[in-house]
């Protein structure tokens, strides 16, 4: 395969495509709302009305407005239908042909939910068939890979990624270019690329959507990374709960191999790169990079102390580059459009866009890709359409590692540093909106229960600390806790945060600490006086630490 | 050989490059409490008792797995560390059923020693009184999971020194337990050579010789270090 051949494939595909395309989302969210039947009915209707020469029905990935699924969108008219029922499919085809009307609910594709978005990673999501490599090539896919393999040195690729300002989208926000440079600078020899698709935060489904909607985008990013750091083997680690993502990835890898875009001598160059899939067995902690590596090696998914970092000594003790799905999905765009164009989106220290899974007590649920620096208020009130009845109380970001941001701080810009400053974190992109009826102690209790179940059990503070924190929160909710218990809750939170081995334990108390910081009255209102005190003030159970 | 110099609790010490803070502290004669660390097997940094503070680093560092580097200024006994260590020991006590008065390891128990070191006389956390069971299927030894602190020393000794890998960790989080073979009764695991190293490695009374009663277990904890040095350096005398 060379560039001419790649473009010939693209041209052939463009010629094949019908002028009018009815896109039907068949990703997990819409599928749960019977999108498969809608798709089949659309297909049948096209066949019955014998209009296959002008019109085609395409199974596509996520369009983002998941709360309104199943979604059907028509190009080039840009009509968007929401909550389509299987029996409405036929009339959509008729309406598209201009031969009738449809009862299907039409949505405004220009509404704020879409208008504020800047699609980079999700540019082709919902537009191309994720199971067709030709469709991906037709929209310029694999051109970036060709560009790096033929026109750039590995060092130039690393520099380009560094200049783009891209930071890890898994939540940590470590500069991606710096990570690439570290692995690239390790002595030559076996190196690995790992794509972390073990997304497990409650309410988060960004990576699933990217893998389901545009698997080739992730594979291309991984191959470019392989070329940049000198690795010839990559692994995609996907959780077993994402069967559709896994099957689409498998198909994508097969197709890429067939075209010579994966495997040996990619684009007739000396660069080899192959990708294998590893399926997680259901442990949240395997999203932690060292545990993930253990899991790929076939061992128990326990984190191990860092340093050495995976970049120095990772999979099978070889230098390993491990990035999140969304990070890899940004790469092809950065190479294609240039680092400068990418860096023009976002803020000073947080470049580009971020995908969020907007969920909770909010009108518009779904996936949004927004430029960094947009305020939470814009996301929640304008894009999300606000809370159905009542008002926003808090926004939870960062999943069980993050925190709750109160409504007074809704003007906080969404970027790594600002979110950290208000006691939460970017995280992988979960964003749960809560209304005035939400009990914040219950929220903290929910996340602590999650961490208690998901801790691997290796280190003492995380294994036993989360259990004690959970039981203290339970005691509070039962109205049996005293001021001593609350003080103990605080001190133990600091202790677990500071002494745990890996990120899971270090961040497990965050939901408690952030709700304590912004909603202390919800905790104190639950306290009772211990009977033996007879009205005297209680002494703190544990003397204050330096941090306390 | 490269040598690094560092300061631990005001004492200056020179140590070979590649050694850990814990090694350096030992050489300097500064005691740092440990539980999961054992000479002779690799360190896992699980018990978090050996955490220390290094000037210029906001994070607390586990001494057993952190390399001693040039110019480090380490503090091992700040108020915060003492407080956290005590909480860690309390958490361990609250997690299992550690009743010294009826334990085979009473008087010869590392958990007991550490509790004394950190000044823990009672646990402020509520005791969980788990019912974890006891495996007495082996002809010579027994394991009482209620006394296990999940230090995984037995797992590492069996794997790294004996090469049998009878033990591993089963389940997850609070349900973690030391599992024999493929979750079989210990006595039915063919891989077990009955060498007894796990008994010696166990810091508490969780793994014991059958027939021992209160305070009778005397683990030979130096054995693993002796064996590994003997094998590596051919020094077969103790």
């Amino acid at each position: 395969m060379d560039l001419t051949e790649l473009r010939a494939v693209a041209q052939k595909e463009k010629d094949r495509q019908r002028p009018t395309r009815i896109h039907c989302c068949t990703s997990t969210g819409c599928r749960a709302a019977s999108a498969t039947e809608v798709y089949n009915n659309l297909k049948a209707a096209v066949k019955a009305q014998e209009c296959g020469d002008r019109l085609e029905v395409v199974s596509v990935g996520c369009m983002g407005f998941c709360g309104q699924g199943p979604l059907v969108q028509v190009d080039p008219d840009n009509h968007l239908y929401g909550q389509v029922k299987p029996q409405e499919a036929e009339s959509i085809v008729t309406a598209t042909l201009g031969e009738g009307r449809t009862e299907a609910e039409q949505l405004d594709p220009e509404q704020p939910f879409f208008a504020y978005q800047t699609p980079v990673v999700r540019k082709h999501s919902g537009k191309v068939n994720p199971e067709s490599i030709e469709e991906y090539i037709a929209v310029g896919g694999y051109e970036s890979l060709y560009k790096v393999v033929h026109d750039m040195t590995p060092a130039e690729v690393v520099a380009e990624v560094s200049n783009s300002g891209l930071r890890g989208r898994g939540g940590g926000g470590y500069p991606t270019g710096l990570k690439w440079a570290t692995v690239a600078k390790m002595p030559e020899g076996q190196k690995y690329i790992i794509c972390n698709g073990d997304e497990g935060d409650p309410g988060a489904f960004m990576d699933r959507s990217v893998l389901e909607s545009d698997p080739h985008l992730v594979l291309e990013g991984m191959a470019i990374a392989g070329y940049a750091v000198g690795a010839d083997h990559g692994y995609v680690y996907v959780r077993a709960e994402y069967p559709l993502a896994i099957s689409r990835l498998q198909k994508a890898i097969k197709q890429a191999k067939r075209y010579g875009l994966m495997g040996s001598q990619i684009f007739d160059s000396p660069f080899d790169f192959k990708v294998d899939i590893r399926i997680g067995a259901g442990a949240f902690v395997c999203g932690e990079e060292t545990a993930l590596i253990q899991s790929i090696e076939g061992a128990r998914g326990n984190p191990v102390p860092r340093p050495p970092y995976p970049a120095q000594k990772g999979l099978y003790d070889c230098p390993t580059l491990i990035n999140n799905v969304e990070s890899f999905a940004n790469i092809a765009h950065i190479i294609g459009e240039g680092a400068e164009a990418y860096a023009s989106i976002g803020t000073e220290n947080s470049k580009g866009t971020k995908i969020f899974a907007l969920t909770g007590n909010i009108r518009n649920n779904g996936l949004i890709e927004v430029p960094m620096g947009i305020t939470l208020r814009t996301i929640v009130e304008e894009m999300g359409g606000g809370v159905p009845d009542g008002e926003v109380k808090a926004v939870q970001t960062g999943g069980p590692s993050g925190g709750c941001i109160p409504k007074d701080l809704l003007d906080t810009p969404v970027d790594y540093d600002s979110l950290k400053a208000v006691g939460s974190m970017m995280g992988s992109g979960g964003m749960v909106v809560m209304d005035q009826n939400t009990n914040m102690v219950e929220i903290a209790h929910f996340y602590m229960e999650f961490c208690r179940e998901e801790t691997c059990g290796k280190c003492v503070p995380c294994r036993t600390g989360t259990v004690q924190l959970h039981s203290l929160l339970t005691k509070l909710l039962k109205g049996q806790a005293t001021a001593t218990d609350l003080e103990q809750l605080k001190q133990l939170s600091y202790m677990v945060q500071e002494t745990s081995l890996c990120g899971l334990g270090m961040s497990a108390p965050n939901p408690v600490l952030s709700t304590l910081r912004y909603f202390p009255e919800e905790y104190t209102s639950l306290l009772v006086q211990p009977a033996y005190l007879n009205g005297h003030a209680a002494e703190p159970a544990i003397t204050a630490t330096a941090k306390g | 050989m490269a040598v690094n110099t560092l300061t631990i609790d005001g004492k200056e010490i020179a140590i070979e490059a590649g050694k850990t803070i814990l090694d350096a502290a030992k050489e300097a004669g500064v005691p740092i409490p440990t539980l999961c660390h054992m000479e002779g097997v690799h360190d896992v940094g699980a018990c978090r008792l050996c955490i220390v503070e290094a000037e210029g680093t906001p994070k607390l560092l586990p001494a057993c797995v952190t390399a001693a580097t040039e110019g480090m200024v380490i503090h091992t006994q700040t108020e915060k560390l003492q407080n956290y260590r005590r909480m860690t020991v309390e958490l361990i006590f609250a997690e299992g059923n550690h009743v010294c008065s009826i334990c085979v390891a009473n008087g010869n128990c590392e958990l007991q020693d550490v509790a004394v070191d950190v000044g823990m006389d009672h646990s402020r956390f509520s005791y969980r009184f788990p019912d974890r069971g006891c495996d007495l299927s082996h002809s010579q030894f027994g394991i009482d999971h209620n006394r296990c602190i999940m230090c995984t020393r037995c797992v590492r000794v069996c794997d790294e020194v004996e090469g049998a890998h009878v033990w591993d960790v089963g389940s997850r989080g609070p349900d973690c337990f030391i599992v024999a073979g493929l979750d079989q009764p210990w006595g039915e695991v063919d891989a077990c050579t009955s060498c007894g190293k796990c008994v010696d490695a166990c810091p508490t009374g969780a793994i014991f010789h059958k027939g021992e009663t209160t305070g009778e277990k005397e683990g030979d904890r130096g054995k693993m270090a002796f064996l590994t040095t003997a094998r590596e350096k051919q020094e077969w005398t103790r």
Side-chain angles (χ1 to χ4, degrees):
Chain A
M1 173 81 84
D2 59 23
L3 194 59
T4 334
E5 285 166 332
L6 186 74
R7 291 196 173 147
V9 172
Q11 195 51 50
K12 194 176 162 203
E13 170 62 21
K14 279 179 196 157
D15 295 342
R16 186 203 64 77
Q17 287 181 6
R18 303 291 177 262
T20 304
R21 281 162 63 92
I22 301 181
H23 298 129
C24 177
C25 172
T26 54
S27 286
T28 303
C30 286
R31 199 171 269 216
S34 63
T36 316
E37 283 162 282
V38 173
Y39 173 71
N40 288 339
N41 287 1
L42 284 167
K43 280 275 226 203
V46 169
K47 202 171 173 194
Q49 302 186 24
E50 292 175 350
C51 53
D53 52 334
R54 287 167 286 162
L55 198 155
E56 64 178 329
V57 180
V58 192
S59 152
V60 296
C62 183
M63 299 181 201
F65 212 169
C66 306
Q68 294 291 327
L71 293 163
V72 171
Q73 186 254 351
V74 184
D75 260 351
D77 309 346
N78 200 14
H79 286 157
L80 181 66
Y81 302 99
Q83 298 188 10
V84 178
K85 295 174 192 72
Q87 60 270 24
E88 290 167 349
E90 199 182 336
S91 65
I92 291 180
V93 174
T94 324
T96 305
L97 290 168
E99 294 165 3
R101 287 171 49 83
T102 174
E103 294 300 305
E105 188 193 341
Q106 204 157 343
L107 305 172
D108 175 15
E110 304 297 327
Q111 60 179 289
F113 184 83
F114 295 106
Y116 281 103
Q117 298 201 36
T118 308
V120 170
V121 170
R122 293 174 46 78
K123 193 160 58 183
H124 308 304
S125 183
K127 297 277 177 195
V128 300
N129 180 354
E131 302 195 8
S132 156
I133 189 172
E134 290 83 7
E135 291 212 7
Y136 180 67
I137 293 173
V139 292
Y142 287 105
E143 291 234 356
S144 296
L145 180 60
Y146 181 88
K147 186 175 167 186
V148 299
V149 169
H150 278 277
D151 304 337
M152 293 170 86
T153 64
E156 283 168 356
V157 181
V158 173
E160 195 75 0
V161 174
S162 297
N163 293 339
S164 74
L166 178 67
R167 291 169 69 174
R169 295 291 191 250
Y174 190 79
T176 307
L178 193 56
K179 211 184 231 183
W180 287 33
T182 314
V183 182
K185 291 220 163 76
M186 293 300 287
E188 256 180 68
Q190 183 66 57
K191 294 179 187 177
Y192 292 99
I193 303 290
I194 296 176
C195 173
N196 184 348
D198 193 54
E199 179 178 59
D201 290 2
F205 50 100
M206 301 75 52
D207 295 349
R208 185 191 77 201
S209 156
V210 172
L211 288 172
E212 284 178 358
S213 311
D214 213 352
H216 287 286
L217 185 68
V218 179
L219 294 179
E220 189 179 357
M222 288 177 72
I224 293 170
Y227 176 79
V229 305
D232 65 355
H233 195 170
Y235 287 93
V236 190
Y237 190 92
V238 196
R239 61 193 299 221
E241 291 87 341
Y242 289 175
L244 186 65
I246 294 166
S247 81
R248 285 183 174 171
L249 261 176
Q250 281 168 332
K251 206 169 254 181
I253 293 172
K254 219 179 196 172
Q255 292 168 340
K257 271 188 193 158
R258 209 176 52 221
Y259 274 110
L261 299 166
M262 199 72 43
S264 306
Q265 301 178 351
I266 292 168
F267 285 120
D268 300 323
S269 77
F271 172 57
D272 303 340
F273 193 73
K274 65 168 179 178
V275 173
D276 284 317
I277 300 175
R278 285 290 176 272
I279 299 169
F284 174 71
V285 72
C286 285
E288 198 279 339
E289 57 181 16
T290 58
L292 190 152
I293 288 170
Q294 295 281 313
S295 176
I296 291 182
E297 288 179 3
R300 182 182 160 85
N302 270 7
V304 292
R306 299 176 305 180
Y309 288 91
Q312 303 153 306
K313 201 176 162 193
L315 187 60
Y316 304 116
D317 288 344
C318 301
T320 303
L321 174 74
I322 174 160
N323 277 143
N324 167 265
V325 169
E326 198 184 328
S327 305
F328 280 125
N330 273 298
I331 300 300
H333 178 88
I334 292 172
I335 298 296
E337 307 292 320
E340 245 174 68
Y342 188 83
S344 67
I345 314 170
T347 65
E348 178 72 33
N349 291 318
S350 303
K351 302 291 186 197
T353 61
K354 176 79 193 89
I355 306 180
F356 287 100
L358 189 59
T359 56
N361 302 119
I362 193 155
R363 276 199 185 84
N364 304 332
N365 280 289
L367 280 185
I368 50 167
E369 183 171 3
V370 287
M372 296 275 191
I374 191 169
T375 63
L376 279 170
R377 190 177 300 283
T378 315
I379 294 180
V380 173
E381 292 182 356
E382 301 201 38
M383 303 180 75
V387 170
D389 23 51
E391 55 172 337
V392 182
K393 180 172 185 179
V395 179
Q396 212 279 349
T397 69
S401 317
C404 294
I405 301 164
K407 71 162 194 272
D408 305 342
L409 293 173
L410 275 187
D411 288 314
T412 308
V414 173
D415 64 61
Y416 291 98
D417 311 306
S418 306
L419 290 178
K420 211 169 173 183
V422 296
S424 187
M425 67 187 276
M426 178 75 82
S428 57
M431 193 176 273
V432 185
V433 181
M434 296 159 190
D435 69 11
Q436 76 281 1
N437 298 323
T438 316
N439 178 336
M440 300 316 277
V441 184
E442 266 176 27
I443 295 294
H445 183 260
F446 165 79
Y447 281 110
M448 194 50 69
E449 188 168 341
F450 180 86
C451 290
R452 188 195 67 171
E453 298 301 316
E454 294 298 341
T455 162
C456 73
K458 181 173 177 174
C459 75
V460 176
C462 185
R463 180 181 74 234
T464 78
T466 51
V467 172
Q468 294 289 350
L469 286 171
H470 180 259
S471 70
L472 284 168
L473 288 164
T474 311
K475 208 172 167 186
L476 262 163
L477 286 171
K478 281 187 179 164
Q480 297 167 351
T482 61
T484 313
D485 293 313
L486 185 59
E487 183 59 22
Q488 192 172 51
L489 179 76
K490 258 188 229 175
Q491 297 306 328
L492 185 57
S493 293
Y494 293 135
M495 182 264 187
V496 172
Q497 198 174 43
E498 285 202 82
T499 62
S500 289
L501 191 155
C502 81
L504 196 158
M506 288 178 197
S507 58
N510 286 1
V512 177
L513 291 172
S514 80
T515 46
L516 258 173
R517 175 172 165 186
Y518 294 117
F519 306 95
E521 67 290 347
E522 296 204 19
Y523 283 84
T524 46
S525 67
L526 292 169
L527 297 181
V528 289
Q529 273 280 2
Y532 65 85
L533 277 175
N534 293 328
H536 293 286
E539 274 188 46
I542 297 169
T543 47
T545 61
K547 190 159 181 184
Chain B
M1 186 173 42
V3 170
N4 291 326
T5 51
L6 61 156
T7 315
I8 303 178
D9 288 351
K11 284 189 185 172
E12 290 190 335
I13 169 110
I15 185 116
E16 303 98 300
K19 294 277 186 176
T20 64
I21 298 175
L22 187 64
D23 294 327
K26 271 203 182 125
E27 212 163 302
V30 177
I32 297 180
T34 57
L35 272 177
C36 66
H37 168 80
M38 190 171 65
E39 298 292 337
V41 293
H42 91 276
D43 280 309
V44 289
C47 74
R48 316 308 280 179
L49 275 173
C50 67
I51 44 162
V52 295
E53 283 183 53
E55 283 183 13
T57 311
K59 276 187 183 172
L60 303 179
L61 305 170
C64 67
V65 290
T66 309
T69 53
E70 182 63 33
M72 267 184 167
V73 181
I74 304 286
H75 301 284
T76 71
Q77 296 294 337
T78 63
E79 196 189 332
K80 185 205 256 180
L81 291 173
Q82 289 180 350
N83 186 20
Y84 284 173
R85 282 194 196 123
R86 186 180 158 171
M87 286 169 95
T88 305
V89 177
E90 285 176 46
L91 285 171
I92 297 174
F93 268 90
E95 184 186 27
N97 297 321
H98 300 285
V99 188
C100 301
S101 58
I102 53 155
C103 180
V104 288
N106 191 7
N108 188 25
C109 171
E110 289 181 46
L111 179 62
Q112 200 176 37
D113 295 345
V114 163
V116 173
D117 284 349
V118 302
M120 189 213 107
D121 43 17
H122 71 290
S123 172
R124 288 162 293 184
F125 301 108
S126 50
Y127 286 94
R128 284 156 52 199
F129 304 114
D131 182 9
R132 294 184 185 151
C134 207
D135 181 352
L136 296 171
S137 59
H138 195 280
S139 58
Q140 298 172 49
F141 319 117
I143 176 166
D144 181 352
H145 295 288
N146 297 296
R147 297 178 190 149
C148 175
I149 59 166
M150 295 302 299
C151 66
T152 68
R153 275 159 48 160
C154 52
V155 177
R156 286 172 283 153
V157 157
C158 191
D159 179 44
E160 295 167 27
V161 183
E162 182 62 9
H165 203 129
V166 169
W167 300 115
D168 213 317
V169 179
S171 203
R172 194 167 68 205
D175 302 325
C176 267
F177 67 106
I178 296 295
V179 62
L182 299 168
D183 199 6
Q184 297 156 283
W186 187 2
E188 289 174 21
V189 181
D190 293 338
C192 179
T193 61
S194 303
C195 70
K197 289 191 181 72
C198 54
V199 186
D200 286 327
C202 182
T204 69
I207 309 184
F208 51 88
H209 292 101
K210 276 187 173 174
E212 282 170 343
T213 182
T214 311
E216 286 186 355
K217 179 185 169 183
E218 287 178 23
D220 180 1
R221 296 193 181 106
K223 192 188 204 170
M224 311 315 145
F226 161 68
L227 279 176
T228 40
T229 357
R231 288 176 190 172
E232 282 163 17
K233 298 180 183 164
Q234 307 299 313
E235 291 167 8
W236 293 95
T237 46
R238 264 178 110 174

